[in-house]
Amino acid sequence: MPAPTVDDVRTATETLSQLTEHLRNAPDLDEAIALMEPLLDEYTGLPIQLGDTLRAFARTVLTDLDTPNRTLVHTLVEDLRAAAWEQTDQHTLHYTLDNLRTLVRSATSTTARS
């Protein structure tokens, strides 16, 4: 797989910005949930991907940065690794999405019975 370019990464962040703007305009809830599903997937969603990316970046910094100030390098790498864990901990948001989906279905079936 070829390495992503800066433009590839920028496109990904622009897509997230578009999604944010779309969600601010209060789309249909079913559509909003469907759009969030890939972002919050428990195995491949954004929290997991960002955590993995931060850890990989930390590894690159640690192995490739040649500086006499190794203490500062290790401090910065630890900051990246801590942020990675914080992101990865958010993987449970897929449960929130599952609960929202169940609530929407329940509300829809209750409305249909009325």
Side-chain angles (χ1 to χ4, degrees), residues 7-110:
D7 286 339
D8 293 334
V9 176
R10 192 169 286 118
T11 298
T13 60
E14 287 171 2
T15 299
L16 283 173
S17 293
Q18 289 173 343
L19 174 60
T20 302
E21 280 303 310
H22 181 66
L23 292 173
R24 285 181 180 145
N25 291 319
D28 175 73
L29 186 54
D30 288 329
E31 176 193 4
I33 290 172
L35 289 168
M36 292 302 296
E37 282 181 287
L39 284 178
L40 299 180
D41 183 88
E42 73 181 297
Y43 300 110
T44 60
L46 191 58
I48 297 298
Q49 294 295 326
L50 185 54
D52 288 348
T53 300
L54 288 169
R55 276 187 282 282
F57 180 53
R59 193 170 27 259
T60 299
V61 168
L62 193 58
T63 59
D64 289 355
L65 186 60
D66 187 23
T67 179
N69 193 345
R70 298 306 289 174
T71 302
L72 179 57
V73 169
H74 284 280
T75 299
L76 295 172
V77 165
E78 286 305 312
D79 289 348
L80 289 168
R81 289 179 175 160
W85 278 112
E86 290 174 21
Q87 292 304 310
T88 304
D89 284 347
Q90 299 303 314
H91 79 281
T92 58
L93 285 170
H94 76 276
Y95 293 122
T96 302
L97 195 61
D98 289 343
N99 291 336
L100 280 169
R101 190 179 304 105
T102 300
L103 186 61
V104 167
R105 287 182 186 143
S106 174
T108 303
S109 66
T110 302

